[in-house]
Amino acid sequence: LLTTLTRRGLLERDARGQYGPGIGLVALGLGFLDREPAVVAARPVLEFEAEQLGETVFLTAARAGAIVVLDKVEGSGFLRAAPRIGSTVPIHATAVGKLHLAHAPESVSLGDAPLESFTPATRTNRSVLAAEVERVRRQGYAENRDEWIPGLTAIAAPVFAGGRMVAALAAATSSARWEAIHSFEIASRVRGGARRIGERMEGTRT
């Protein structure tokens, strides 16, 4: 039964052999996200950072080899960034996807098919993507500028708990606005928010 549910995406199995909710449950909207530890820990951080930045802030995690949006809070800015809670985002063309490739490559799968080109900025050459992932690993955060959706820029940082990456925190804004703001300041806020979520998950921060 567990094998069947896993194959259908309703459950997933981690590296320790333990079963948990799969991406299929998110798609079915069964409401388990309200009890997801990362969501519970991240919600106040998402609300605070969305207010401070005035931009949409996301929480994502790897589920069954894909990147799923677990939660989001929209800022006060004009942009209401996609995607919806429960939807998946491409791995190679998003900041959160690059983070998983850098820090938790076993949690995602690019497959063997040619990488899809969403915009002229999408990195579809695997060697070029690998170099970008290595840069992300060194600097501690990732960026996505027009690589998935034209006119959308995002910056993301990994959430670590128990010594492993369990989620990612991302802030999204219009690429036009990106020109007018300080990207380093946003990166610092996102990295700080991701760190606070990890601490909350570990019980070292309230």
Side-chain angles (χ1 to χ4, degrees), residues 59-100:
L59 179 74
T60 68
R63 294 290 184 270
I67 305 294
V68 182
V69 178
L70 297 184
D71 201 2
K72 71 183 260 189
V73 175
E74 293 179 340
S76 57
F78 175 77
L79 179 68
R80 293 295 183 265
R84 303 183 313 275
I85 295 174
S87 62
T88 60
V89 303
I91 298 167
H92 67 287
T94 60
V96 293
K98 294 174 193 176
L99 286 175
H100 278 277

Side-chain angles (χ1 to χ4, degrees), residues 153-185:
T153 292
I155 191 163
V159 175
F160 290 100
R164 63 189 182 94
M165 180 179 172
V166 296
L169 178 68
T173 186
S174 69
S175 297
R177 174 167 161 72
W178 189 255
E179 299 283 356
I181 58 181
H182 300 292
S183 59
F184 181 76
E185 180 180 344

Side-chain angles (χ1 to χ4, degrees), residues 72-130:
K72 71 183 260 189
V73 175
E74 293 179 340
S76 57
F78 175 77
L79 179 68
R80 293 295 183 265
R84 303 183 313 275
I85 295 174
S87 62
T88 60
V89 303
I91 298 167
H92 67 287
T94 60
V96 293
K98 294 174 193 176
L99 286 175
H100 278 277
L101 291 173
H103 298 289
E106 74 287 347
S107 67
V108 293
S109 175
L110 287 174
D112 298 323
L115 300 177
E116 182 177 354
S117 179
F118 297 98
T119 76
T122 306
R123 292 176 172 83
T124 57
N125 182 294
R126 290 178 183 260
S127 296
V128 173
L129 177 62

Side-chain angles (χ1 to χ4, degrees), residues 2-206:
L2 289 173
T3 299
T4 299
L5 292 173
T6 301
R7 188 165 54 245
R8 294 187 177 186
L10 298 176
L11 294 178
E12 66 176 60
R13 197 174 188 184
D14 62 22
R16 295 169 295 179
Q18 296 180 323
Y19 289 92
I23 187 174
L25 289 182
V26 179
L28 289 173
L30 297 184
F32 83 90
L33 286 178
D34 291 337
R35 298 183 298 277
E36 170 84 17
V39 173
V40 174
R43 186 66 187 183
V45 177
L46 265 65
E47 292 175 345
F48 179 77
E49 295 302 338
E51 180 180 1
Q52 294 297 307
L53 292 169
E55 308 294 347
T56 303
V57 180
F58 298 90
L59 179 74
T60 68
R63 294 290 184 270
I67 305 294
V68 182
V69 178
L70 297 184
D71 201 2
K72 71 183 260 189
V73 175
E74 293 179 340
S76 57
F78 175 77
L79 179 68
R80 293 295 183 265
R84 303 183 313 275
I85 295 174
S87 62
T88 60
V89 303
I91 298 167
H92 67 287
T94 60
V96 293
K98 294 174 193 176
L99 286 175
H100 278 277
L101 291 173
H103 298 289
E106 74 287 347
S107 67
V108 293
S109 175
L110 287 174
D112 298 323
L115 300 177
E116 182 177 354
S117 179
F118 297 98
T119 76
T122 306
R123 292 176 172 83
T124 57
N125 182 294
R126 290 178 183 260
S127 296
V128 173
L129 177 62
E132 171 68 3
V133 168
E134 179 56 33
R135 186 181 72 85
V136 166
R137 183 183 295 110
R138 292 196 305 269
Q139 73 179 10
Y141 65 92
E143 298 164 287
N144 154 34
R145 186 170 181 178
D146 302 319
E147 294 172 47
W148 177 30
I149 299 172
L152 182 69
T153 292
I155 191 163
V159 175
F160 290 100
R164 63 189 182 94
M165 180 179 172
V166 296
L169 178 68
T173 186
S174 69
S175 297
R177 174 167 161 72
W178 189 255
E179 299 283 356
I181 58 181
H182 300 292
S183 59
F184 181 76
E185 180 180 344
I186 292 184
S188 296
R189 291 209 65 91
V190 172
R191 293 182 72 180
R195 183 173 60 253
R196 295 198 305 277
I197 294 170
E199 292 170 350
R200 285 172 58 83
M201 292 185 69
E202 294 177 331
T204 59
R205 188 186 188 104
T206 58

